[in-house]
Amino acid sequence: DIQMTQSPTSLSASVGDRVTITCRASQSISSYLNWYQQKPGKAPKFLIYAASSLQSGVPSRFSGSGSGTDFTLTISSLQPEDFATYYCQQSYSAPWTFGQGTKVEIK
Amino acid sequence: QLQLQESGPGLVKPAETLSLTCTVSGGSISTSSYYWGWIRQPPGKGLEWIGSIYYSGSTYYNPSLKSRVTISVDTSENQFSLKLTSVTAADTAVYYCARLGYMTTAKYYFDSWGQGTLVTVSS
């Protein structure tokens, strides 16, 4: 199985801050990397596919980059509704695996 | 708008079988472009893909659970179901059903999710 490791596990930030979350794969996954946002008590929401393509309706302050084994999710200007846990997921090969999550908290 | 809704018992005894159904509305489960799947999340932990099914009945499972999992589809009811046998406390989790889309550039992605249902394994 491909292991996905996110860092940091959690971070504290203020509204308006630029936030970057890193996801590393245990082997090269090309650009087959998706990102999700999950708020407490809710299902994950699909944000980004193919490492850098925004799902329809996702605000442009979200962006993704990377290929191979190293990927980043960036929120350019953190908004109150962005406080949540973010997960990466590789779609290179089954079993599809997720990172352990990064919790973005209010400073 | 596509909606998915999980249903089934919230409490299952150890060694018994967990059974859940996902009802799809606002779209057909028989759409050729999509698979349908189950993902679970133990309390306070991350996400684990359990398995997926195509409307034709073709399945693929996470090898870590394969010996205990069966996913089936009922196109007439626009539903798909999960059975997990010989459950233990480690199977306590929120279980989500989801649609699995495919694009050449992205391969597979989970683009629509049910709200999730908590299943507790306890005597």
Side-chain angles (χ1 to χ4, degrees):
Chain A
D1 298 4
I2 298 174
Q3 305 303 315
M4 307 301 294
T5 303
Q6 290 181 230
S7 60
T9 301
S10 65
L11 64 90
S12 295
S14 301
V15 173
D17 284 354
R18 181 181 182 90
V19 169
T20 298
I21 298 168
T22 297
C23 177
R24 176 164 289 176
S26 61
Q27 66 180 75
S28 177
I29 57 171
S30 185
S31 295
Y32 298 118
L33 192 283
N34 305 317
W35 288 97
Y36 302 83
Q37 175 194 66
Q38 186 179 35
K39 296 181 179 180
K42 301 294 186 182
K45 175 187 174 183
F46 181 43
L47 294 180
I48 288 173
Y49 61 93
S52 61
S53 297
L54 250 60
Q55 169 69 341
S56 175
V58 174
S60 59
R61 62 181 180 272
F62 289 91
S63 64
S65 65
S67 66
T69 60
D70 294 320
F71 302 86
T72 59
L73 172 69
T74 299
I75 308 172
S76 61
S77 178
L78 199 64
Q79 298 301 300
E81 60 269 30
D82 300 337
F83 292 96
T85 299
Y86 293 85
Y87 293 93
C88 60
Q89 174 242 326
Q90 64 83 17
S91 56
Y92 181 78
S93 68
W96 320 126
T97 48
F98 295 84
Q100 82 279 17
T102 295
K103 187 174 184 179
V104 177
E105 299 176 297
I106 301 173
K107 182 181 284 185
Chain B
Q1 182 174 344
L2 188 76
Q3 291 189 322
L4 295 88
Q5 179 67 58
E6 304 89 351
S7 59
L11 181 64
V12 181
K13 289 182 169 57
E16 295 191 344
T17 296
L18 178 159
S19 296
L20 295 174
T21 295
C22 182
T23 300
V24 179
S25 58
S28 173
I29 203 169
S30 300
T31 305
S32 61
S33 305
Y34 299 101
Y35 272 77
W36 305 88
W38 290 95
I39 301 102
R40 69 180 183 177
Q41 184 172 37
K45 296 189 178 180
L47 299 159
E48 179 182 34
W49 171 70
I50 299 170
S52 295
I53 190 165
Y54 196 55
Y55 75 93
S56 63
S58 173
T59 55
Y60 59 112
Y61 301 131
N62 191 324
S64 68
L65 296 167
K66 186 175 183 178
S67 63
R68 299 193 292 132
V69 172
T70 301
I71 297 176
S72 58
V73 64
D74 184 341
T75 55
S76 66
E77 295 290 337
N78 227 34
Q79 296 176 334
F80 61 104
S81 298
L82 168 70
K83 290 189 185 300
L84 181 66
T85 62
S86 305
V87 297
T88 70
D91 295 310
T92 293
V94 175
Y95 285 76
Y96 295 100
C97 59
R99 187 176 74 173
L100 192 59
Y102 180 87
M103 280 188 278
T104 305
T105 54
K107 290 196 177 181
Y108 293 98
Y109 52 90
F110 300 96
D111 66 347
S112 292
W113 297 64
Q115 65 185 23
T117 187
L118 174 63
V119 179
T120 301
V121 179
S122 175
S123 55

